[in-house]
Amino acid sequence: MGEFDLIARYFTRPARHAVTGVGDDCALWQPQSGMQLAVSSDMLVEGRHFLSTVSAQRLGHKALAVNLSDLAACGANPLAFTLALSLPRVDEAWLQGFSHGLFLLADTHGCELIGGDTTQGPLNICITVFGEVPPGDALLRGAAQAGDDIYVSGTVGDARLALEVIRGSLSLDAELFETARLRMEQPEPRVALGLALRGIANACIDVSDGLIGDLGHIMKASGVGAVLTTGWVADSAAISPALQSLPLSRRLDMALAGGDDYELLFTAAPDQAHAVQEAANDCDVPVTCIGRISAGQGLQVMDIHGVPISRRFVSFDHFSS
Ligand code: ADP
Ligand code: MG
């Protein structure tokens, strides 16, 4: 099978909202007048972002999910995406699974594949998503205010837990491992929550590198500090049964610095607390208050008794030595 047959068979569907989709030199999209375009790219490299053992269907899902997660973090509504794919060979069973997982998630969010590029090379997947948001409504990293509560959606630490089990540094009951592995291989982007938080949250980011590292981006962009509590790591909706099975200190590492969570980390004024919980209920995603934004700079992490923890939590950085 050649390049163009491959594109036609696995990545071409009739255009829905696009003026022109896959097949011409450019896709054409008619923007809704008055809306701002939200654009984001994420690349997945084999061995770096995923293990070669992941199923093609889950990989198709995850490649789009991590991109939709960026739209969610901005409170943008997904519209369309492009897919640049580098493949070592034409493996039809793999392409079938990959495109199936990709389109299942795309259809869930009404997000249309409108173009891309296909080439031979090491397995590498780069997606660019396009979304829209009314001017002034986007949730940005720089909008946190001193006094804001800090929240995280869903559960954190599970993807890292699964990775550590696969690496052999931890062992876990088989059923719990499967739940953690699903979180690593098939994360659910919090698109509905991002939309529901418009006008309620101040700053927002999605947790990809690790909660503390990503909170650091909000602090830097907003020029604020933060105090993180950890009582929620002992017992809250943010800690899954799989993570609950670990001793507290290991749990802390996974939850605070694990990465690959694709949850929303956001801040909101205390008088929005009720609205935050209502938005979470409407979206059927728990949100947990995990700390407070402070004036000045720096992060303080408190233990469950409210005593500052001095050790460092290191989030993921591709180029850190
Ligand atoms: P060009 O050489 O003009 O850039 P290509 O030959 O690379 O175009 O691609 C042909 C058409 O197929 C284009 O519309 C392009 O957007 C689309 N396309 C290529 N690869 C993919 C892919 N992996 N997924 C979706 N569309 C693709
Ligand atoms: Mg061309």
Side-chain angles (χ1 to χ4, degrees):
M1 177 181 291
E3 174 187 339
F4 300 104
D5 291 334
L6 185 163
I7 296 167
R9 179 163 313 173
Y10 295 105
F11 300 112
T12 306
R13 302 200 305 181
R16 293 189 197 174
H17 300 287
V19 180
T20 304
V22 171
D24 218 309
D25 292 308
C26 290
L28 296 178
W29 189 271
Q30 182 65 55
Q32 245 197 95
S33 87
M35 294 295 256
Q36 286 181 339
L37 204 54
V39 183
S40 181
S41 291
D42 258 309
M43 182 154 60
L44 264 63
V45 176
E46 182 168 19
R48 193 77 198 172
H49 301 97
F50 60 91
L51 304 169
S52 56
T53 49
V54 66
S55 80
Q57 181 170 337
R58 287 188 183 177
L59 189 58
H61 173 107
K62 185 167 178 176
L64 182 58
V66 302
N67 278 278
L68 289 174
S69 179
D70 284 316
L71 290 183
C74 283
N77 199 18
L79 299 172
F81 67 105
T82 61
L83 168 67
L85 196 57
S86 163
L87 296 171
R89 71 196 78 83
V90 176
D91 175 342
E92 293 218 49
W94 189 92
L95 282 160
Q96 189 74 50
F98 179 85
S99 57
H100 184 65
L102 182 82
F103 283 128
L104 266 183
L105 184 66
D107 291 346
T108 303
H109 293 280
C111 192
E112 188 172 344
L113 178 60
I114 56 170
D117 197 22
T118 305
T119 166
Q120 193 184 22
L123 183 55
N124 191 332
I125 306 151
C126 182
I127 287 181
T128 298
V129 278
F130 304 86
E132 64 179 6
V133 59
D137 279 6
L139 303 173
L140 302 175
R141 297 177 180 188
Q145 301 286 325
D148 278 2
D149 290 318
I150 304 170
Y151 297 90
V152 72
S153 68
T155 66
V156 284
D158 302 310
R160 181 56 179 271
L161 172 59
L163 185 63
E164 293 302 331
V165 173
I166 290 168
R167 283 175 172 167
S169 76
L170 276 174
S171 63
L172 197 63
D173 163 90
E175 220 168 286
L176 290 178
F177 170 64
E178 273 315 312
T179 62
R181 180 176 179 176
L182 202 60
R183 293 276 295 137
M184 174 177 78
E185 294 183 345
Q186 202 169 288
E188 285 308 324
R190 302 302 186 191
V191 174
L193 182 63
L195 291 173
L197 288 172
R198 295 201 306 218
I200 296 173
N202 285 333
C204 187
I205 191 169
D206 66 320
V207 182
S208 51
D209 297 332
L211 195 154
I212 283 189
D214 290 314
L215 177 60
H217 294 307
I218 286 183
M219 289 161 51
K220 188 166 181 220
S222 301
V224 295
V227 179
L228 268 193
T229 58
T230 50
W232 59 276
V233 181
D235 181 24
S236 78
I239 303 299
S240 70
L243 204 54
Q244 283 281 0
S245 71
L246 295 192
L248 188 60
S249 74
R250 293 301 304 263
R251 241 187 272 172
L252 265 179
D253 282 322
M254 310 270 161
L256 297 188
D260 240 11
D261 297 305
Y262 303 103
E263 292 296 348
L264 297 185
L265 175 67
F266 60 95
T267 81
D271 64 6
Q272 295 291 334
H274 184 67
V276 166
Q277 291 302 336
E278 280 207 323
N281 289 343
D282 289 349
C283 301
D284 224 8
V285 184
V287 301
T288 304
C289 184
I290 61 168
R292 179 155 291 185
I293 296 293
S294 53
Q297 258 150 42
L299 174 71
Q300 269 202 323
V301 183
M302 303 299 193
D303 73 10
I304 56 171
H305 308 293
V307 178
I309 300 176
S310 56
R311 78 185 162 97
R312 269 166 56 81
F313 294 89
V314 180
S315 286
F316 193 78
D317 177 337
H318 281 283
F319 294 103
S320 67
S321 47

